[in-house]
Amino acid sequence: MPSVLILNGPNLNLLGQRQPQVYGHTTLAEVEQQCREAAGPLNLEIQFEQTNHEGGMVDLIHAARGKHQGMILNAGAYTHTSIALMDAISSAELPTIELHLSNVHAREAFRHQSYIARVAIGVICGFGPRGYTLALEAMADHLAEKDP
Ligand code: DQA
């Protein structure tokens, strides 16, 4: 069964408490539960992770190489700044979907820039927690097309 790493970056541990007017009331544990429920019928295994540390994210992406078949990445603010994450994704050679809860393009100009998008197969943003299950569906389709 194909396996997907769902990796969440800085401040996403505070989901549900942090700026609920922007990010909603759902907690990260609830998002993980929704992902686990969605993954089974899509025939995907998942590993769900969160870290506030850029280097820790790089390590998890390196460890995903050869272990997982795809990655769904909400890199939080590192999306807009991290060449290190972009390089890690290129090195891991894993199809990656960039994900954001909020519509970053409707927000401040500094959120319009993404280093992740350059190396992602696609981007989902603006649909809140539903974005995670949309991304799992898109990843399942992508992996089935690659390896029917
Ligand atoms: C975010 C958007 C980023 O700009 C922000 O820094 C986050 C969360 C989102 O999911 O909407 O931390 O990635």
Side-chain angles (χ1 to χ4, degrees):
M1 198 188 280
S3 172
V4 177
L5 173 63
I6 304 175
L7 179 54
N8 296 281
N11 301 305
L12 289 162
N13 53 313
L14 295 179
L15 204 60
Q17 304 162 43
R18 164 198 188 207
Q19 295 177 276
Q21 70 285 5
V22 180
Y23 298 115
H25 292 278
T26 308
T27 65
L28 196 63
E30 289 166 343
V31 171
E32 176 173 359
Q33 188 52 36
Q34 288 171 9
C35 288
R36 296 207 174 280
E37 282 163 19
L42 292 169
N43 225 22
L44 294 175
E45 276 176 11
I46 60 166
Q47 178 183 347
F48 195 95
E49 300 285 350
Q50 190 275 331
T51 172
N52 291 322
H53 305 280
E54 186 176 11
M57 294 181 76
V58 170
D59 288 342
L60 283 164
I61 294 169
H62 289 176
R65 189 188 155 98
K67 179 175 168 195
H68 297 288
Q69 283 66 53
M71 175 164 63
I72 295 168
L73 177 61
N74 185 349
Y78 291 140
T79 305
H80 317 299
T81 61
S82 182
I83 297 169
L85 282 183
M86 178 182 75
D87 286 350
I89 295 163
S90 300
S91 315
E93 293 173 343
L94 277 184
T96 297
I97 297 177
E98 174 182 340
L99 174 67
H100 302 285
L101 294 143
S102 63
N103 178 0
V104 287
H105 300 290
R107 300 181 64 196
E108 303 95 325
F110 59 79
R111 293 186 207 276
H112 301 173
Q113 150 80 4
S114 168
Y115 285 104
I116 310 301
R118 299 176 70 100
V119 290
I121 57 170
V123 180
I124 295 175
C125 75
F127 295 100
R130 173 80 174 108
Y132 284 79
T133 47
L134 289 172
L136 278 170
E137 288 169 23
M139 184 61 78
D141 286 353
H142 177 82
L143 294 175
E145 274 165 29
K146 240 179 49 174
D147 195 6

